[in-house]
Amino acid sequence: MKSKLKILMVYSEVAPFSKTGGLGDVGGSLPKALKDMGHDVRIITPQYQSINERRYILRDVIRLQNIGVSVGAETHQIHVKSAFLPDTKVQVYFIDYKPFFFRKGMYTDPKTGADYPDNAQRFALFSKGVLETLNRLHWQPDIIHCNDWQTGLIPYYLKTLYLGNPFFSQTSTLFTVHNFAFQGWFDAKNAAAIGFDTKNRSADSGLDANGGVNFLRLGIQSSDLLNTVSEKHAAEAQSSAEFGFGLEKLLRSRKKQFFGIANGIDTHVWNPETDKLIPHPYNFQRIPEKEGNKRALFERFGLPFKAGVPVIAMVTRMTGQKGMDLVRDAFGPIMALNGVFLLLGQGEEAYETFFKKAVKKYPGRVGVHLGFDESLAHLLIAGADIFLMPSRFEPCGLTQIYSLKYGTVPVVAPVGGLLDTVEPVKPRSERGTGFVLAAIDAKSLVAALKQAVKAFGDPRTWQRIQKNGMRKDFSWEASAKRYVQLYHKCLLLIKT
Ligand code: ADP
Ligand code: GLC
């Protein structure tokens, strides 16, 4: 068994360079953990406009200039730059193709909120660009670890266009699905534009019944092994359309090759003791110092500070996945619990409008910041008392884990990674790190919050719950080892 693997990790977002959600956090932290284990780990990601070239010292790589990549009838010349993941020796290659990636948004146009109409072309170019870059680099990875629909064509291309190519004959693929709801589903016109033969709809054409193409499906079908980001969600995704979004049957057909591995967290970035984005660092032995962050939080939202009042916070994409409809429907009873509600998020317009109105309806008690703000996310998670996450589905979820580490007690829905990471507080037990809704509805949401607010009123109980969470180990160590096991399993599949 090889002790040192060559691993290429492909992510459409890598924090701190680029991030719209948890995928970026994972892209910026799992590679580090694998590198620390001694593996040769490299990352390829798109170079978006928002990436600060000077700050992160992106350099041109002479032999990675002018690489011709064909997508459908067109050939595009890409360039590849390189940098290191901050404070590590993990090399990151950025695919620089301005017409596709130099835009205000990563996947959607911030002006309209709609997906870019050429996303199929953008991520087909990216996927093929990854393979062509490896070729130019003469670096033959043992594993290409792909993530989410944006990279789904890589395993597919390896099993079709690049099949028999000796350069990749010793390379296997692992495909990690972070979210089954985003599939990269494109119609026949788009499929044709990226080179699919839309007239041939045979079983191995890669096309679906309508002549369109689904990047996630192709990734799942073509990769050597698969996983999602918690054990619970791996079971859920196979169980019903509610969690598998139409891919449940396919997943069941691959169940022997489909695993669940929980995400870890970057303990350098999310650690209340060393966090540079919060004014008052603390740890589980100095919990009262957390209060300084609560004060700063009220100030940041322009609200009068109230001692002893529970602050309920959310940091989230404002979509159906995150249970925003439940929060909206239960908002009156939530506010009747006499806490303060603070939200940082962006997403669907209807929710944005609702929460803007709530600020006016409950003066001094509701704070809403619409937008994406990394430092405010840290301050909220540090300064709040209760973190609310009533997701309808949650493959893993990172914010509830960050909250646990910061002594901010999570109130979560009984799904996926939330169940795998939050241990319910039970009466007459010393254990428990948070509160879990009995069911996913507005009534259960209010009931769980009520329990949390009651516990908050008893400082001894509250500190015990906080400490239980803060002491848990959510570092990548255990999960990175599980990924290495999967990589070895992948290698065994290569026929020699
Ligand atoms: P998901 O990836 O489904 O959105 P996760 O809990 O895995 O959910 O990760 C969300 C990540 O995105 C966290 O790092 C969280 O702090 C961050 N985040 C979400 N919304 C915002 C926002 N509006 N501003 C800053 N960070 C945000
Ligand atoms: C997805 C999921 C989230 C997970 C994140 C990182 O965005 O919605 O549950 O934590 O990916 O894996």
Side-chain angles (χ1 to χ4, degrees):
M1 202 161 78
K2 278 191 186 176
S3 60
K4 191 176 164 195
L5 296 173
K6 286 193 274 180
I7 309 163
L8 175 72
M9 314 199 66
V10 192
Y11 291 98
S12 59
E13 45 190 277
V14 177
F17 306 113
S18 53
K19 164 170 165 179
T20 67
L23 177 67
D25 288 350
V26 174
S29 55
L30 172 59
K32 227 188 272 185
L34 293 164
K35 180 86 180 178
D36 288 345
M37 291 170 75
H39 300 288
D40 181 358
V41 182
R42 307 187 194 187
I43 303 174
I44 304 190
T45 194
Q47 186 183 348
Y48 302 106
Q49 185 174 8
S50 55
I51 297 174
N52 189 325
E53 262 194 66
R54 280 220 196 120
R55 178 163 175 202
Y56 296 117
I57 321 178
L58 268 60
R59 296 181 199 281
D60 288 323
V61 183
I62 305 287
R63 69 171 134 157
L64 299 181
Q65 299 294 299
N66 289 310
I67 306 176
V69 180
S70 61
V71 175
E74 295 190 39
T75 299
H76 308 275
Q77 299 292 321
I78 65 167
H79 307 287
V80 177
K81 293 183 187 144
S82 89
F84 287 102
L85 200 58
D87 306 319
T88 74
K89 293 215 171 75
V90 177
Q91 186 127 39
V92 186
Y93 297 100
F94 294 89
I95 294 202
D96 173 18
Y97 184 65
K98 294 207 168 42
F100 281 2
F101 298 118
F102 241 60
R103 300 181 186 179
K104 287 255 149 57
M106 286 165 54
Y107 318 123
T108 55
D109 184 342
K111 265 199 220 136
T112 59
D115 287 348
Y116 285 120
D118 57 350
N119 273 349
Q121 289 92 318
R122 297 173 78 219
F123 289 99
L125 172 98
F126 174 61
S127 297
K128 220 185 248 181
V130 166
L131 298 175
E132 292 301 322
T133 300
L134 292 174
N135 220 324
R136 273 280 182 100
L137 266 180
H138 301 301
W139 190 67
Q140 290 173 289
D142 299 305
I143 301 290
I144 303 182
H145 183 164
C146 302
N147 294 272
D148 274 354
W149 73 264
Q150 294 88 343
T151 63
L153 288 184
I154 294 174
Y156 174 73
Y157 285 150
L158 286 170
K159 292 269 156 71
T160 52
L161 291 180
Y162 291 78
L163 188 70
N165 184 322
F167 187 83
F168 293 108
S169 66
Q170 298 301 305
T171 299
S172 311
T173 51
L174 172 69
F175 189 45
T176 301
V177 182
H178 298 257
N179 198 321
F180 288 98
F182 299 116
Q183 301 192 356
W185 202 332
F186 303 99
D187 63 12
K189 208 169 125 223
N190 275 299
I194 59 172
F196 281 83
D197 176 4
T198 45
K199 288 188 195 82
N200 162 22
R201 293 202 197 156
S202 61
D204 57 1
S205 68
L207 298 171
D208 60 30
N210 303 316
V213 63
N214 180 325
F215 284 21
L216 195 73
R217 178 180 281 276
L218 290 180
I220 294 172
Q221 279 169 349
S222 319
S223 53
D224 293 314
L225 292 179
L226 294 166
N227 79 294
T228 187
V229 286
S230 67
E231 292 206 13
K232 180 81 189 158
H233 194 60
E236 286 171 346
Q238 297 173 64
S239 70
S240 69
E242 189 189 345
F243 295 114
F245 294 89
L247 297 172
E248 53 283 357
K249 208 169 139 217
L250 173 62
L251 291 171
R252 283 199 295 273
S253 77
R254 295 211 64 188
K255 71 170 183 232
K256 290 221 167 81
Q257 294 106 38
F258 179 39
F259 301 85
I261 303 180
N263 288 329
I265 65 168
D266 188 331
T267 48
H268 295 287
V269 178
W270 291 97
N271 178 348
E273 225 173 338
T274 55
D275 192 332
K276 292 199 181 61
L277 299 173
I278 64 171
H280 300 278
Y282 58 101
N283 62 25
F284 74 88
Q285 286 157 323
R286 307 198 319 259
I287 294 182
E289 290 169 51
K290 182 171 155 64
E291 180 96 353
N293 299 301
K294 188 168 174 177
R295 284 179 183 274
L297 192 54
F298 275 84
E299 208 169 292
R300 188 76 189 272
F301 276 91
L303 299 177
F305 178 70
K306 293 188 196 90
V309 171
V311 170
I312 303 167
M314 294 186 79
V315 176
T316 189
R317 290 186 287 114
M318 291 163 79
T319 64
Q321 173 188 348
K322 301 295 180 180
M324 297 311 295
D325 55 328
L326 299 179
V327 181
R328 181 193 57 202
D329 296 349
F331 207 66
I334 291 175
M335 293 314 293
L337 299 172
N338 288 325
V340 164
F341 180 89
L342 300 180
L343 166 83
L344 165 63
Q346 63 181 5
E348 289 168 26
E349 208 181 320
Y351 296 126
E352 297 201 352
T353 313
F354 174 83
F355 286 103
K356 269 195 250 169
K357 279 194 191 144
V359 175
K360 294 213 178 89
K361 191 163 173 197
Y362 300 95
R365 295 184 54 214
V366 175
V368 172
H369 185 98
L370 299 175
F372 198 90
D373 185 333
E374 186 71 26
S375 77
L376 185 53
H378 282 247
L379 186 59
L380 263 161
I381 286 172
D385 300 299
I386 295 169
F387 190 82
L388 180 60
M389 199 163 175
S391 312
R392 289 189 176 275
F393 69 95
E394 199 60 74
C396 179
L398 291 169
T399 44
Q400 86 282 8
I401 304 180
Y402 301 152
S403 300
L404 287 168
K405 286 310 284 181
Y406 281 69
T408 301
V409 175
V411 173
V412 301
V415 288
L418 301 176
L419 277 178
D420 281 0
T421 52
V422 177
E423 190 186 343
V425 171
K426 292 203 182 101
R428 289 177 296 281
S429 159
E430 294 285 300
R431 296 177 52 155
T433 60
F435 296 85
V436 181
L437 277 60
I440 307 182
D441 54 40
K443 214 172 116 212
S444 307
L445 169 60
V446 177
L449 269 179
K450 208 178 213 168
Q451 258 186 298
V453 168
K454 186 166 169 234
F456 176 79
D458 173 11
R460 260 196 59 225
T461 307
W462 195 249
Q463 271 218 11
R464 192 192 66 228
I465 303 170
Q466 288 178 300
K467 267 191 196 164
N468 286 349
M470 293 177 88
R471 278 178 164 154
K472 288 230 158 174
D473 179 9
F474 289 106
S475 67
W476 267 109
E477 213 180 280
S479 294
K481 279 190 192 143
R482 290 208 55 207
Y483 273 107
V484 173
Q485 284 168 356
L486 275 197
Y487 298 150
H488 282 294
K489 230 179 160 80
C490 280
L491 292 185
L492 290 176
L493 299 172
I494 294 182
K495 293 188 194 78
T496 43

